[in-house]
Amino acid sequence: MASHLILLPHGVGKLRHRPIVAASSNGSPYPETKKRGPVVLEIPLDQIRRPLLRTRANDPVKVKELMESIKEIGLQEPIDVLDVDGVYYGFSGCHRYEAHQRLGLPTIRCKVRRGTRETLRHHLR
Ligand code: ADP
């Protein structure tokens, strides 16, 4: 089945889990043929758990530069997010996430992959 791209304006406030790649006919945002393939979604920042947040410090200069760039041209590369039983976890993309927070953006574009509890444990190790 062909997939269609839906172009969304950057930083639109009321998008909640809106798929950018078209949903499959059963309503799931994941493609039917590749159940575990990634999808790109706009997710509210406060719905992404960041378990390693306090263990790593971001480079404030990088964050500032990203803020300027994101303001100017938008987020060019979505951050990677893991979906474990409907809960989103982010382990990378820390500077982009903080840049969005500081810019006051409500959502961030994420490349979402489904994961198991075992995948989650692996990331937490
Ligand atoms: P992070 O912790 O978010 O991964 P890095 O500084 O390691 O921060 O990498 C920044 C990433 O952000 C790069 O992969 C770059 O391609 C991506 N990116 C996405 N949107 C932008 C943008 N508007 N300006 C600059 N880099 C961007």
Side-chain angles (χ1 to χ4, degrees), residues 6-71:
I6 300 167
L7 296 177
L8 298 174
H10 176 71
V12 173
K14 293 200 172 132
L15 297 173
R16 288 175 63 85
H17 307 252
R18 184 168 170 183
I20 290 174
V21 175
S24 59
S25 58
N26 66 5
S28 160
Y30 297 94
E32 272 171 63
T33 48
K34 273 180 96 184
K35 286 271 188 229
R36 288 180 185 276
V39 294
V40 178
L41 304 175
E42 287 280 339
I43 299 178
L45 294 185
D46 61 9
Q47 289 186 20
I48 304 171
R49 296 191 188 176
R50 304 198 65 91
L52 305 179
L53 190 65
R54 285 177 224 297
T55 64
R56 294 175 192 162
N58 282 341
D59 177 343
V61 175
K62 267 192 189 179
V63 173
K64 194 95 187 83
E65 286 171 358
L66 274 167
M67 286 171 68
E68 290 304 318
S69 179
I70 290 166
K71 238 186 338 191

Side-chain angles (χ1 to χ4, degrees), residues 58 62 65-66 68-71 73-79 92-97:
N58 282 341
K62 267 192 189 179
E65 286 171 358
L66 274 167
E68 290 304 318
S69 179
I70 290 166
K71 238 186 338 191
I73 60 170
L75 183 66
Q76 300 297 295
E77 182 65 32
I79 64 167
S92 57
C94 308
H95 293 86
R96 281 165 281 174
Y97 182 89

Side-chain angles (χ1 to χ4, degrees), residues 30 35-41 43 77-85 87-89 92 110-116 119 123:
Y30 297 94
K35 286 271 188 229
R36 288 180 185 276
V39 294
V40 178
L41 304 175
I43 299 178
E77 182 65 32
I79 64 167
D80 289 308
V81 163
L82 197 61
D83 169 352
V84 180
D85 300 334
V87 180
Y88 298 120
Y89 294 89
S92 57
C110 301
K111 190 184 281 183
V112 185
R113 287 184 179 78
R114 273 183 176 164
T116 61
T119 325
H123 278 86

